[in-house]
Amino acid sequence: MESSSLTERHRFAEAERDALYKTVFNRRDVRGQFLPTTVPDEVLARVLYAAHHAPSVGFMQPWNFLVIRSQQKKQQVHQLFSKANKEAVELFDKDKQKTYKNLKLEGILESPINLCITCDRTRTGKPVLGRTHMKTMDLYSSVCAVQNLWLAARTEGLGVGWVSIMHEDELKATLGIPEHVVPIAYLCIGYVEHFKDKPELETKGWLPRMEISDLVNFEEWEGSAQSSDDQELLSTLAEMSDFPTGFPVR
Amino acid sequence: MESSSLTERHRFAEAERDALYKTVFNRRDVRGQFLPTTVPDEVLARVLYAAHHAPSVGFMQPWNFLVIRSQQKKQQVHQLFSKANKEAVELFDKDKQKTYKNLKLEGILESPINLCITCDRTRTGKPVLGRTHMKTMDLYSSVCAVQNLWLAARTEGLGVGWVSIMHEDELKATLGIPEHVVPIAYLCIGYVEHFKDKPELETKGWLPRMEISDLVNFEEWEGSAQSSDDQELLSTLAEMSDFPTGFPVR
């Protein structure tokens, strides 16, 4: 078989590939634009099903999904955020504090659905294939579930925001999460007024988007290009960083 | 504006949505089917660019990408795997050991590209917005980059396998990764002979796929359905778990 057919055999159609890139570049961490519009259970089921098909170490599937719809529970969680956020702002330099205070960092009360994705570290007993040496692998599996859900949600027109400014032990107590389970992500989910073109922390001057060509090295940490292939990769990446976010890369 | 138009406004076209689900359900952890076929730099650049557009806590972008093409470096890493895997197998019960030994768990030497995705915990100084309370958030950002790359690679027809059976300190030494940087994922990347229909650990009887409806609870840990909406979600999920993996969910 020719080399070209080997590379094409399992490739998706161009339109399908572009849909994946479009999703990746248009996914946003949504905090401020949630609408109260009900999310149909069919749609929620699809994004959860996508999460459940994330990779997991040793096929452990360590995740659970806690769906929170009651305003009472949301208010309890929001109080945890408010307390932690007051502590958080004090950690920044005075000049950063002003920007920080102007950022809306969560949509707990406004989003119709809150979702906590967890990692049950004891799910399949000990030992776990693939977690014998790197003990954090099960946590990472649950993170992959979060990212699957986030991308699926974007194609459904649903915004997702990840709230991490809370004391973990307080969140666990509020949701009754037992000792051996780690809350990986507390997500706010709902339809949105609009999706921003770029991450808010970029447009509001918190930090710039880094140049990807500065983040790629070869053979080892800080290793420079070893071959013409490596040089070519860096050149291609340098050109790509000029592509407008929000459009598929061609 | 009517409720239906609010839910549809930011939704992708059905074919684009289905492409995302198709990618999610057809992504596999590839260990054994790599072809030596060269991966064009343009394709590698696209999947790296997708990784770089993962969400990151405080827009920290803590990732670096170490591209490894030399057989010498791959051999060094493969030795770390071989050593750790011998230790790993001993941790399982005798009856599991036979299955374990029959599993191919990495494609380090056969895949044309190895890629280490890292997390620089000091990338933007201290403190980091959103990591003030949950200290693992930067690690999770790099995991999201892994998952973006993995999904993009699938649409390009590229297989990806995540190797985690290594001592972290030995991998860091081999790749010259400094103290403050965590190697999150060591990936094998390349075109493949075929993609399996289901995860190998499922088909080879290591563990079964769990029922997603057993993993969804309401309002709190182990909380049962509170409303007809919750009941409806569970029913929808129970039906979905019969969908054949590999087809978009409708």
Side-chain angles (χ1 to χ4, degrees), chain A residues 46 49 53, chain B residues 25 198 236-250:
Chain A
R46 281 200 296 263
Y49 199 60
H53 283 76
Chain B
F25 300 135
K198 290 189 169 193
T236 308
L237 286 169
E239 285 168 33
M240 287 178 107
S241 59
D242 291 320
F243 273 82
T245 304
F247 291 93
V249 182
R250 292 186 181 278

Side-chain angles (χ1 to χ4, degrees), chain B residues 133-239:
Chain B
H133 291 74
M134 295 188 173
K135 302 299 183 191
T136 48
M137 283 299 294
D138 52 350
L139 304 175
Y140 298 171
S141 300
S142 287
V143 175
C144 290
V146 173
Q147 185 64 1
N148 266 11
L149 179 138
W150 209 335
L151 293 168
R154 181 62 193 87
T155 70
E156 301 278 5
L158 285 174
V160 174
W162 184 332
V163 187
S164 57
I165 304 169
M166 286 187 269
H167 289 279
E168 183 180 310
D169 56 344
E170 292 179 1
L171 180 63
K172 286 178 75 163
T174 300
L175 300 180
I177 295 173
E179 186 60 29
H180 62 284
V181 175
V182 178
I184 298 293
Y186 192 87
L187 305 173
C188 305
I189 303 177
Y191 292 106
V192 298
E193 184 59 44
H194 62 277
F195 281 95
K196 292 180 185 294
D197 288 340
K198 290 189 169 193
E200 200 172 353
L201 294 185
E202 183 179 1
T203 54
K204 292 213 170 159
W206 186 262
L207 280 171
R209 167 80 65 187
M210 298 181 73
E211 289 293 329
I212 186 172
S213 50
D214 294 338
L215 300 172
V216 174
N217 288 90
F218 299 92
E219 303 302 322
E220 62 183 12
W221 186 257
E222 294 186 343
S224 52
Q226 304 285 307
S227 64
S228 57
D229 258 359
D230 293 352
Q231 288 288 4
E232 181 68 28
L233 178 64
L234 288 179
S235 309
T236 308
L237 286 169
E239 285 168 33

Side-chain angles (χ1 to χ4, degrees), chain B residues 52-112:
Chain B
H52 185 46
H53 283 76
S56 68
V57 66
F59 207 49
M60 191 181 175
Q61 307 158 73
W63 39 72
N64 284 81
F65 306 98
L66 306 185
V67 177
I68 293 146
R69 310 197 207 231
S70 83
Q71 213 57 19
Q72 191 194 350
K73 188 65 79 177
K74 287 179 196 168
Q75 270 157 2
Q76 289 171 14
V77 175
H78 189 261
Q79 282 168 13
L80 304 185
F81 163 80
S82 297
K83 179 187 157 197
N85 203 39
K86 281 195 193 98
E87 297 162 355
V89 69
E90 298 301 326
L91 301 174
F92 292 87
D93 292 338
K94 289 290 166 204
D95 58 324
K96 276 274 185 188
Q97 285 191 10
K98 200 180 159 190
T99 311
Y100 189 101
K101 286 178 183 167
N102 281 329
L103 295 167
K104 178 155 170 56
L105 296 174
E106 50 71 45
I108 297 168
L109 297 173
E110 307 92 276
S111 58

